[in-house]
Amino acid sequence: MDSIKVCVVGSTGYAGIEVCRLVLANPNMELVMATDRKEAGTNLADIYPSFAGVCDIELSLPDPAVIAEKADVAFLAVPHTASLDLTPQLLAAGVTVLDLSADYRIHDAEVYEAWYNTEHTSPELLSQTVYGLPELNREGLAALAARRAAGEAVLVAVPGCYPTATALAATPALAAGLAKGDLVISDAISGVSGAGRGCNARTHYCHANESVEAYGVAKHRHTPEIEQTLTEVAGRDINVVFTPHLAPLTRGLLATVYIEAADRVTAEQVQAAYEERYANEALVTTLPAGSMPQTSSVFGTGRAQVGVALDARRRSMIVASCAIDNLGKGAAAQAMQCANIVLGLPETCAVDPAAPLV
């Protein structure tokens, strides 16, 4: 089998450089192009010295015509709105796109425009896009694989880190009918790398160190993405109260969700539902009853760990936590997992190892 030629757009950001690392680790792929508007002409290893002796690629401008000449697949690790310009051109030129931005995650263009305060310029692509959370949407990704095998360029919208962890924590309870009502509360904590490589007052070391803060309260842009996913899982409208927090971690994300349990649900039923849901998932592990996940257990990997408990006091509540690496399962590793499925490769190729022990 010939190597699949890959371009990474936005390769010098934290998610982008993680994608580059995973592409280089995938024996079925070849990194033929990496782009960055500000650093074009610079060697990637000059920006990230760990690539010295591993990859000597020179950064280019993100020209869709050049990408189409060189690559079969493009990973777009770009800010929202940037993909709106690039993606339609790449698809038209026959390049399959894994988009790590938010531009194609939300099915309704009007909802996207309301939350991102910008016009969606290619709403016709939304119906052709598959939301790339494999544990919830493997059939959709398999359908893209069939379309690509027939010669069509396809588009995967790779989920955000907060929506991924929240969905993995909440899905088993909602899908098994163990929850009642229409409310899911998600409190989530992310490491500073989730804010991107650019530094601002909030992410500056002197501000972020030795401090935890809530931000984007009642208005974070991932809210409609989470609601869309959980509504599809539950089969009824789900409203989400989502509160993200910034913690002084380099990387890692922990989401804890609270869902009112249906009448007479037991802790044993809840644990069994989570174990059954993820029993055959290579990258998601349900921890034993009484154990809850920690970010260090998934650091640097594409894995997720989930723990669940039932608080059966006056109002019985299911409390479930999911730990992921915000740059791994929350971004680059999830994009690679989706790419593997769409390209007909082993799903866990280049994303499966356990976290370092120290």
Side-chain angles (χ1 to χ4, degrees):
M1 176 179 175
D2 294 335
S3 293
I4 298 161
K5 294 178 170 52
V6 172
C7 172
V8 179
V9 180
S11 59
T12 64
Y14 288 145
I17 198 63
E18 278 290 282
V19 174
C20 290
R21 186 176 68 84
L22 296 179
V23 170
L24 292 170
N26 193 319
N28 306 287
M29 295 182 179
E30 178 185 0
L31 183 63
V32 297
M33 187 175 178
T35 82
D36 184 278
R37 293 186 183 277
K38 294 181 180 179
E39 302 289 351
T42 304
N43 195 292
L44 186 62
D46 291 336
I47 300 172
Y48 289 98
S50 61
F51 280 66
V54 177
C55 176
D56 62 357
I57 200 165
E58 184 179 287
L59 295 166
S60 310
L61 290 171
D63 184 327
V66 177
I67 295 171
E69 286 180 6
K70 294 185 174 183
D72 307 306
V73 174
F75 291 86
L76 306 189
V78 294
H80 76 274
T81 73
S83 178
L84 293 176
D85 178 51
L86 288 169
T87 293
Q89 297 182 70
L90 292 171
L91 292 173
V95 179
T96 285
V97 175
L98 287 297
D99 181 20
L100 281 75
S101 85
D103 289 344
Y104 294 94
R105 295 175 188 161
I106 297 174
H107 303 329
D108 188 329
E110 291 184 1
V111 174
Y112 171 88
E113 291 170 354
W115 283 83
Y116 286 86
N117 196 31
T118 191
E119 179 186 2
H120 199 297
T121 54
S122 51
E124 70 281 358
L125 293 180
L126 294 175
S127 62
Q128 306 171 34
T129 306
V130 168
Y131 188 69
L133 184 45
E135 291 76 17
L136 275 62
N137 205 13
R138 191 169 281 105
E139 289 185 3
L141 292 167
L144 288 190
R147 285 166 50 189
R148 189 178 185 278
E152 183 181 351
V154 297
L155 171 59
V156 177
V158 181
C161 51
Y162 285 127
T164 293
T166 298
L168 292 175
T171 286
L174 294 174
L178 301 179
K180 68 179 180 181
D182 64 353
L183 179 64
V184 172
I185 298 171
S186 175
D187 284 334
I189 302 170
S190 176
V192 180
S193 60
R197 185 167 171 242
C199 188
N200 57 41
R202 175 178 285 121
T203 61
H204 191 286
Y205 175 84
C206 294
H207 179 91
N209 189 46
E210 298 294 342
S211 178
V212 178
E213 70 169 306
Y215 68 97
V217 179
K219 60 183 180 180
H220 195 282
R221 286 170 167 171
H222 280 163
T223 302
E225 183 182 340
I226 297 170
E227 288 184 334
Q228 173 181 276
T229 299
L230 299 188
T231 292
E232 292 175 352
V233 168
R236 64 181 187 276
D237 287 342
I238 295 295
N239 296 306
V240 172
V241 176
F242 169 55
T243 306
H245 300 75
L246 182 69
L249 310 168
T250 299
R251 54 198 292 174
L253 190 151
L254 183 74
T256 300
V257 303
Y258 308 88
I259 311 169
E260 188 170 3
D263 296 340
R264 293 182 292 279
V265 166
T266 67
E268 290 75 19
Q269 287 176 305
V270 174
Q271 181 69 26
Y274 277 72
E275 291 179 355
E276 181 179 351
R277 178 75 191 200
Y278 296 130
N280 298 315
E281 293 295 345
L283 298 175
V284 182
T285 300
T286 300
L287 298 180
S291 297
M292 299 302 277
Q294 52 190 4
T295 58
S296 61
S297 298
V298 295
F299 181 95
T301 78
R303 307 186 67 84
Q305 291 188 354
V306 178
V308 65
L310 182 70
D311 186 341
R313 294 181 294 167
R314 292 183 184 177
R315 177 175 293 180
S316 188
M317 299 291 291
I318 297 167
V319 182
S321 286
C322 176
I324 63 172
D325 186 308
N326 57 291
L327 298 178
K329 183 62 175 166
Q334 182 140 267
M336 179 59 72
Q337 184 183 2
C338 291
N340 285 333
I341 296 170
V342 169
L343 298 171
L345 304 174
E347 183 175 329
T348 61
C349 190
V351 299
D352 193 33
L357 297 181
V358 291

